[in-house]
């Protein structure tokens, strides 16, 4: 069984492929797999067979929740006989593999091999389809990329600047704009003032004027008329979208669907809605139930998705869903800290307070590193502050940290960003960084005590007493508008003076 490291989101407990968190127990020496289960309902708790832990051959075991199954297996010939005897397997992993691990009579073993440098992934939902497609465009799967030809008769696609791929015979208006990480297929035409970004356009598509396309997967021979607004959706072959059609994120238009002036209803919480074409092959007559949903002259009907389909959608997860998950996690009380899975995965006894204190210190270091990485990625990708707060809240809950810990980690990240930014005067860069991120920092400083902790952090580790005194004296003759912060800090400065005099 081939596996690959893929850290799940601390909020959704899913990997970037939309796959649920997977708990694995693996022998670190032999790489034998002893346990595998979906971590969706475990909530940090795991039950293992006592015989597994007392067996002298399995005294060493590591637990992982940051590995995903690539669904690539190398099996012995005897495996085929299992399917002959048990032909009712519904799921290869849940039924077959789990059955082998739980069956002591058959004495079968499953071993793992972790992939480090190579790329491997399974596409079994819309989110993984979206993720793998973007990885291909961004060259993570090289040489399996659009501009490398594997078939003699295939069109020669060229890679241009900002990750834009263009096939031959593409007709583009001079006023049309093609954004980064976009693929335009052979024979596709774009109208005036059309904007396309982060999308894949198939062959033979016709796109009108004043059309906005963002995060779309458009297959072959699709017609999009003027003034359409389309975001994070999928349009299969031969789909037609009439003028002024609008698609909400997460919509899937199946083959031959035609929509007109469609504003996707929000009664399913932005989950995937699939419009399907229905025809009677014997009579050739097309039935169009629920025609109001596809507009005047439309062809198709609504296929209602499940309530949890938003987890596997091509659209970004809605903010309200993320907030709901965070609130639900906050309501759950931890019954026994000893039963919580360690992020390291290594099973070891916890017999002393010193060990517990060391674990807390390790968790704090890991938490700060994860916050710094999250903040750095948000700056590069220009992520909104609301989404940064959601990510940091997820890290706070998963690492059992406080709001003050979040504020401290974010403050350190902001200062590090300022230090790494090319500058002439560091003070100006720091001041600008704090002004830009003041909303983010203020969010986690909800009380006076937490604000005092930040001040003490600056006072103890960065700013000297003399600098504070000089700053206060320089502001004595300034205008009232420049003395606002000095007046707010009068008690703090007075306390420093008294402590400084006592030391003298």
């Amino acid at each position: 069984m081939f596996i690959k490291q893929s850290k799940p989101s601390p909020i959704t407990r899913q990997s970037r492929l939309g796959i649920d968190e997977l708990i694995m127990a693996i022998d670190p020496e032999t790489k034998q797999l002893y346990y595998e289960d979906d971590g969706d309902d475990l909530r940090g708790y795991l039950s293992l067979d006592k015989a597994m832990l007392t067996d002298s051959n399995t005294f060493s075991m590591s637990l992982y929740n940051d590995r995903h199954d690539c669904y690539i297996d190398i099996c012995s010939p005897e495996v085929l006989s299992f399917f002959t005897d048990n032909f009712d397997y519904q799921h290869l992993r849940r039924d077959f593999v789990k059955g082998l691990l739980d069956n002591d009579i058959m004495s079968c073993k499953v071993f793992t091999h972790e992939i480090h440098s190579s790329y491997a992934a399974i596409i079994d939902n819309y989110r993984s389809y979206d993720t793998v497609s973007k990885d291909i465009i961004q060259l993570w799967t090289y040489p399996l990329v659009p501009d490398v030809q594997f078939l003699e008769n295939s069109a020669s696609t060229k890679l241009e600047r900002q990750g834009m791929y263009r096939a031959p015979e593409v007709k583009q208006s001079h006023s049309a704009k093609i954004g980064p990480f976009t693929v335009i297929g052979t024979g596709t035409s774009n109208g005036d003032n059309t904007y396309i970004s982060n999308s894949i356009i198939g062959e033979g598509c016709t796109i009108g004027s004043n059309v906005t396309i963002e995060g779309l997967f458009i297959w072959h021979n699709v017609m999009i008329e003027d003034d359409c607004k389309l975001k994070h959706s999928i349009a299969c072959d031969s789909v037609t979208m009439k003028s002024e059609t609008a698609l909400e994120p997460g919509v899937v238009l199946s083959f031959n669907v035609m929509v007109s002036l469609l504003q996707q209803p929000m009664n399913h919480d932005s989950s995937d809605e699939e419009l399907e074409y229905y025809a009677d092959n014997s009579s050739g007559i097309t039935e169009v139930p629920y025609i109001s949903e596809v507009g005047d002259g439309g062809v198709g009907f609504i296929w209602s998705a499940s309530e949890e389909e938003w987890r596997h959608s091509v659209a970004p997860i809605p903010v309200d869903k993320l907030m709901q998950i965070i609130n639900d996690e906050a309501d759950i009380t931890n019954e026994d800290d000893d039963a919580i899975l360690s992020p390291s995965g290594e099973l070891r006894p916890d017999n002393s307070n010193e060990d517990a204190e060391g674990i807390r210190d390790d968790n704090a270091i890991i938490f700060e590193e994860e916050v710094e990485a999250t903040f750095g990625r948000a700056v590069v990708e220009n992520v909104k502050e609301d989404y940064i707060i959601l990510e940091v809240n997820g890290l706070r809950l998963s690492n059992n940290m406080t709001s003050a810990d979040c504020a401290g980690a974010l403050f350190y990240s902001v200062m590090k960003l300022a230090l790494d930014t090319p500058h002439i005067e560091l003070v100006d860069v720091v001041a600008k960084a704090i002004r830009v991120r003041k909303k983010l920092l203020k969010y986690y400083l909800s009380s006076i005590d937490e604000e005092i902790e930040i001040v003490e952090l600056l006072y103890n580790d960065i700013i000297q007493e003399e600098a504070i005194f000089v700053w206060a004296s320089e502001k004595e003759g300034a205008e009232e508008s420049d003395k606002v912060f000095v007046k707010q800090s009068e008690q703090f400065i007075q306390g420093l003076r008294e402590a400084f005099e006592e030391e003298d």
Side-chain angles (χ1 to χ4, degrees):
M1 178 188 296
F2 287 80
I3 61 175
K4 189 174 179 64
Q5 185 174 13
S6 179
K7 188 174 182 180
S9 167
I11 299 178
T12 62
R13 301 295 181 184
Q14 287 183 322
S15 68
R16 57 193 296 268
L17 295 173
I19 301 173
D20 292 334
E21 180 183 37
L22 192 65
I23 308 298
M24 290 184 172
I26 301 175
D27 189 319
E29 298 295 331
T30 65
K31 304 302 179 184
Q32 181 179 349
L33 178 67
Y34 294 114
Y35 180 90
E36 181 189 55
D37 198 3
D38 189 339
D40 186 40
D41 298 326
L42 296 178
R43 298 191 180 278
Y45 294 86
L46 181 64
S47 298
L48 296 176
D49 189 354
K50 285 185 178 180
M52 184 187 302
L53 300 177
T54 57
D55 189 350
S56 60
N57 296 324
T58 61
F59 69 94
S60 181
M61 183 188 303
S62 295
L63 297 178
Y64 299 96
N65 71 334
D66 59 351
R67 303 292 192 273
H68 80 258
D69 189 351
C70 300
Y71 281 77
I72 302 174
D73 304 314
I74 299 177
C75 305
S76 62
E78 290 76 13
V79 170
L80 297 177
S81 63
F82 296 149
F83 288 90
T84 303
D85 300 333
N86 302 277
F87 52 84
D88 58 345
Y89 289 128
Q90 299 295 317
H91 193 278
L92 184 63
R93 288 301 187 263
R94 285 196 296 266
D95 299 332
F96 176 65
V97 174
K98 188 173 177 59
L100 289 180
L101 296 176
D102 295 340
N103 196 326
D104 297 332
I105 301 176
M106 300 174 66
S107 300
C108 295
K109 295 182 179 179
V110 179
F111 294 88
T112 62
H113 174 73
E114 185 173 352
I115 299 174
H116 296 283
S117 58
S118 302
Y119 186 94
I122 180 175
I123 299 177
D124 63 350
N125 58 63
Y126 291 128
R127 189 170 300 281
S128 58
Y129 172 70
D130 174 70
T131 301
V132 174
S133 298
K134 291 178 179 177
D135 289 345
I136 293 174
I137 296 174
Q138 297 175 17
L139 305 180
W140 290 105
T141 61
Y142 186 86
L144 298 176
V145 292
D147 59 323
V148 176
Q149 288 184 270
F150 289 93
L151 301 176
E152 295 182 359
N153 298 328
S154 61
S156 177
T157 302
K158 293 183 179 180
L159 173 60
E160 301 180 1
R161 61 187 182 89
Q162 294 185 336
M164 201 274 281
Y165 295 86
R166 190 193 303 269
E169 301 179 11
V170 172
K171 299 179 182 179
Q172 179 178 331
S173 171
H174 291 291
S175 59
K177 295 182 180 180
I178 307 298
F181 303 117
T182 300
V183 179
I184 307 295
T186 304
T188 293
S189 61
N190 304 322
D192 297 333
N193 300 316
T194 289
Y195 177 72
I196 304 174
S197 69
N198 294 294
S199 301
I200 298 178
I201 314 297
E203 299 178 359
C205 297
T206 302
I207 302 174
S209 302
N210 302 315
V211 176
T212 301
I213 298 176
E214 182 179 349
L216 243 70
F217 293 91
I218 299 176
W219 295 8
H220 303 320
N221 302 315
V222 174
M223 177 177 289
I224 303 174
E225 297 185 358
D226 299 343
D227 302 310
C228 292
K229 309 297 181 184
L230 316 172
K231 292 185 178 181
H232 301 291
S233 303
I234 298 176
C236 298
D237 293 348
S238 302
V239 165
T240 301
M241 283 173 269
K242 295 294 186 178
S243 298
E244 301 183 10
T245 296
L247 295 182
E248 294 291 341
V251 173
V252 178
L253 302 180
S254 188
F255 301 92
N256 302 311
V257 164
M258 179 185 297
V259 292
S260 174
L261 291 175
L262 173 64
Q263 181 69 38
Q264 186 65 27
M266 300 297 292
N267 56 343
H268 288 287
D269 295 332
S270 298
S271 61
D272 284 18
E273 302 290 348
E274 187 167 356
L275 294 177
E276 297 214 4
Y277 177 84
Y278 179 84
D280 186 347
N281 294 328
S282 60
S283 62
I285 299 175
T286 302
E287 296 183 9
V288 191
Y290 307 111
I291 192 170
S292 62
E293 298 290 354
V294 294
D296 186 17
V299 177
F301 61 90
I302 294 291
W303 177 274
S304 298
S306 64
E307 294 182 358
E308 292 295 316
E309 194 67 24
W310 57 268
R311 291 180 175 271
H312 304 132
S313 172
V314 295
I317 299 178
V319 177
D320 59 331
K321 293 293 184 183
L322 295 176
M323 291 300 299
Q324 181 181 347
I325 295 174
I326 292 175
N327 294 333
D328 292 343
E329 289 290 337
D331 293 338
I332 298 174
T333 57
N334 296 324
E335 297 178 358
D336 188 1
D337 293 340
D338 294 335
I340 295 178
L341 286 176
S342 170
S344 66
E346 192 70 25
L347 294 177
R348 28 172 113 90
D350 184 12
N351 297 325
S352 65
N353 292 331
E354 295 181 358
D355 290 341
E357 195 67 35
I359 293 175
R360 282 195 292 270
D361 293 340
D362 292 340
N363 287 342
I365 295 174
I366 294 173
F367 170 74
E368 292 172 356
E369 291 176 348
E370 291 179 341
V371 171
E372 181 183 351
T374 300
F375 178 78
R377 184 177 66 255
V379 172
V380 172
E381 299 178 0
N382 196 24
V383 177
K384 294 182 179 180
E385 290 183 339
D386 292 337
Y387 288 98
I388 301 177
I389 291 172
L390 288 173
E391 288 287 340
V392 174
N393 283 342
L395 295 172
R396 174 177 63 85
L397 292 172
S398 61
N399 290 277
N400 196 25
M401 294 295 174
T402 64
S403 296
D405 295 325
C406 297
L410 284 171
F411 185 80
Y412 172 81
S413 302
V414 172
M415 293 297 101
K416 190 174 186 299
L417 175 65
L419 185 62
D420 294 341
T421 302
H423 57 271
I424 299 176
E425 292 291 337
L426 180 59
V427 175
D428 297 336
V429 177
V430 171
K432 180 180 178 180
I434 293 177
R435 282 196 301 269
V436 171
R437 301 295 175 182
K438 64 180 181 180
K439 176 184 175 182
L440 186 62
L441 296 172
K442 186 66 177 176
Y443 179 85
Y444 292 102
L445 299 175
S446 57
S447 65
I448 298 298
D449 294 336
E450 291 172 347
E451 293 182 4
I452 290 175
E453 288 189 22
I454 297 297
V455 174
E456 290 178 348
L457 172 66
L458 292 171
Y459 172 62
N460 294 330
D461 298 335
I462 301 177
I463 302 176
Q464 298 181 1
E465 294 174 343
E466 289 80 358
I468 297 176
F469 296 153
V470 171
W471 169 70
S473 61
E474 288 179 350
K475 296 294 183 180
E476 289 180 356
E479 298 179 359
E480 291 298 322
S481 59
D482 294 334
K483 297 168 66 175
V484 175
F485 298 108
V486 176
K487 291 183 177 180
Q488 293 179 354
S489 307
E490 285 180 352
Q491 295 183 356
F492 175 71
I493 296 173
Q494 183 61 30
L496 287 181
R497 293 187 186 280
E498 294 175 357
F500 186 71
E501 293 173 356
E502 291 178 358
E503 290 178 359
D504 291 342

